[in-house]
Amino acid sequence: MSTDNLQELIAGIDRGRLPRHVAIIMDGNGRWAKKRGMERSAGHVEGVNTVRRITEIASELGVGYLTLYAFSTENWNRPQAEVDALMHLIVVAIERETPDLIKNNVRLTMIGDLDRLTDEARERLKRCMDDTAHCTGLTLVLALSYSSRWEITRAAREIAREVLAGHLSPQEITDDTISTHLTTAAIPDPDLLIRTGGDMRISNFLLWQVAYAEIYVTPTYWPDFDKTDFCRAVAEYQRRERRFGLTSEQVK
Ligand code: IPE
Ligand code: IPE
Ligand code: MG
């Protein structure tokens, strides 16, 4: 990565039109490792460094929310050794990175099924969230044991219970009712969705929330994704015309 190139890219970004929320499907760790004749877990280890870099640049630019898809509901079905290695890595990384998060004024939150995590993972996460709760800069949202269908199903159950209890009538259910029952209730919808690793799919990530997100797919594997790549995605986002169903003339 050339520093000059990065500085130029940063200078070219319009700070007044930043995506408020960037969500990333961090994919390609396994392929990155395989290409080098290494174990898949080596790709996950390297991927943690990318998380640090990208959190830094998002924070530097002034992005409000960065959501990272770290582990999906479906990922529980991977070989047990890989699941264990990933969980361990996440727990260790969170503990190690907490002081820097605080220093950089980054608040950590998480979305996903906390109940499926080990007690240790849950406690470490909770501690990091508590320790960074006062931070007012970037909000880093970790999607862990998360899938959109899990989340929507859970919301449907909760809404059904409220209807049964007589607190809500079916006619009163709006877009907003659904949004506020999702785990992302306190988070604006993503403006920019990035997927590394080249696959053109959503893989059960924020299905409801990405309704009008700009999608950016790069073939770069997650461990190779750097600050320049992130800025390129933001620059591309700023060249797009977001119409939200309207005509070009209407949004001009
Ligand atoms: C993404 O990398 C990380 C997780 C899904 C946890 P992968 O492990 O999916 O890497 P590829 O897609 O097999 O290369
Ligand atoms: C998506 O990657 C999930 C995460 C990045 C955590 P996967 O590697 O699990 O997605 P698929 O299986 O290629 O769709
Ligand atoms: Mg993958």
Side-chain angles (χ1 to χ4, degrees):
M1 174 188 81
S2 122
T3 323
D4 284 358
N5 194 8
L6 176 61
Q7 290 316 321
E8 238 168 71
L9 268 164
I10 291 177
I13 288 170
D14 178 352
R15 303 294 176 110
R17 285 192 312 118
L18 282 174
R20 192 167 167 217
H21 179 180
V22 179
I24 307 185
I25 302 173
M26 312 185 282
D27 199 23
N29 293 352
R31 280 165 286 168
W32 180 90
K34 198 175 169 196
K35 208 174 79 184
R36 288 167 173 72
M38 303 194 283
E39 296 280 329
R40 292 177 58 82
S41 59
H44 299 316
V45 170
E46 196 52 41
V48 175
N49 294 327
T50 308
V51 169
R52 188 182 314 120
R53 280 201 291 276
I54 299 310
T55 304
E56 253 174 45
I57 185 71
S59 177
E60 266 168 55
L61 286 177
V63 168
Y65 297 82
L66 176 68
T67 300
L68 301 177
Y69 201 8
F71 194 87
S72 73
T73 304
E74 289 74 21
N75 289 151
W76 285 114
N77 300 319
R78 289 193 178 191
Q80 193 58 43
E82 182 169 345
V83 170
D84 293 345
L86 261 167
M87 281 298 144
H88 180 71
L89 194 64
I90 291 165
V91 167
V92 170
I94 285 168
E95 181 145 66
R96 198 183 54 212
E97 299 301 324
T98 302
D100 274 352
L101 292 178
I102 296 169
K103 204 171 73 199
N104 295 323
N105 200 21
V106 177
R107 180 169 68 102
L108 182 88
T109 64
M110 70 93 60
I111 54 173
D113 191 356
L114 267 175
D115 294 341
R116 287 189 76 173
L117 303 182
T118 60
D119 291 345
E120 192 201 13
R122 203 168 31 246
E123 270 153 34
R124 294 258 169 103
L125 261 167
K126 210 183 158 294
R127 207 177 315 144
C128 181
M129 291 192 282
D130 288 345
D131 290 349
T132 61
H134 64 284
C135 296
T136 54
L138 174 75
T139 298
L140 176 62
V141 185
L142 214 54
L144 204 54
S145 188
Y146 172 88
S147 79
S148 203
R149 288 185 175 183
W150 162 79
E151 169 184 61
I152 291 170
T153 305
R154 184 176 162 276
R157 285 198 191 120
E158 241 171 67
I159 294 168
R161 271 195 292 272
E162 285 171 33
V163 170
L164 267 179
H167 301 316
L168 189 69
S169 74
Q171 293 77 8
E172 285 169 331
I173 298 172
T174 62
D175 266 30
D176 220 43
T177 317
I178 312 285
S179 294
T180 54
H181 283 79
L182 298 177
T183 54
T184 51
I187 305 167
D189 286 344
D191 301 296
L192 171 61
L193 172 68
I194 298 173
R195 182 170 187 141
T196 62
D199 286 315
M200 305 272 185
R201 55 175 173 263
I202 306 289
S203 302
N204 215 351
F205 188 46
L206 302 173
L207 298 177
W208 172 275
Q209 297 89 335
V210 298
Y212 274 103
E214 294 300 323
I215 299 177
Y216 181 90
V217 177
T218 168
T220 303
Y221 295 142
W222 179 249
D224 287 331
F225 192 74
D226 61 21
K227 291 185 176 182
T228 307
D229 295 316
F230 185 84
C231 290
R232 275 198 201 107
V234 171
E236 161 72 20
Y237 164 85
Q238 295 194 329
R239 286 191 292 271
R240 306 256 182 102
E241 182 183 65
R242 303 184 76 191
R243 291 189 291 278
F244 299 96
L246 306 181
T247 67
S248 191
E249 289 67 32
Q250 282 178 296
V251 297
K252 280 256 154 63

